[in-house]
Amino acid sequence: MTAKIILQLAALLGALSVGIGAFAAHGLRKMLEASGRFETFETAVRYQFFHTLALLGIGVLLVLRPELKSLGTVAWLWLGGIIIFSGSLYVLCLTGITKLGAVTPIGGVLFIAGWIMLLLAARQL
């Protein structure tokens, strides 16, 4: 994944994080609180936003050090984590399909794998 794509992805995911979080706080709060899932939804938004900021950093680092190609793998892992971890929690909260909870840890593993890949990439600095 190129620096340009990573930075554009971070911009898009950042906007989505703010939009989704605001929508939950203002438009979905009563429904999510009634189902006991408001905190779960907040967790999904928080992890999405943290990893979006991390993607932004990876994009900037890749602009500065384009030879660190493994940073593209970090970006893919974090993107997968956002989609699977946060995405499964969003769907769980909005639909009540509890079986999706079984998929959420896969996203968490992708987040962890991305951080480990970043550790390995940083050894090349």
Side-chain angles (χ1 to χ4, degrees), residues 13-99:
L13 288 169
L16 284 172
S17 296
V18 173
I20 292 168
F23 184 61
H26 301 291
L28 298 176
R29 186 178 199 109
K30 288 181 183 178
M31 180 196 78
L32 292 170
E33 285 178 342
S35 67
R37 293 203 167 99
F38 186 75
E39 287 182 18
T40 301
F41 201 92
E42 281 188 320
T43 298
V45 173
R46 188 171 44 254
Y47 272 73
Q48 177 177 335
F49 198 66
F50 287 161
H51 287 88
T52 295
L53 290 174
L55 275 172
L56 179 64
I58 290 296
V60 170
L61 184 56
L62 199 51
V63 166
L64 299 173
R65 299 290 301 270
E67 73 276 8
L68 297 175
K69 303 289 186 203
S70 59
L71 293 177
T73 302
V74 174
W76 279 113
L77 289 166
W78 285 343
L79 176 60
I82 289 169
I83 292 168
I84 296 172
F85 182 87
S86 295
S88 66
L89 290 180
Y90 293 145
V91 174
L92 167 73
C93 290
L94 295 174
T95 67
I97 300 172
T98 57
K99 290 181 183 180

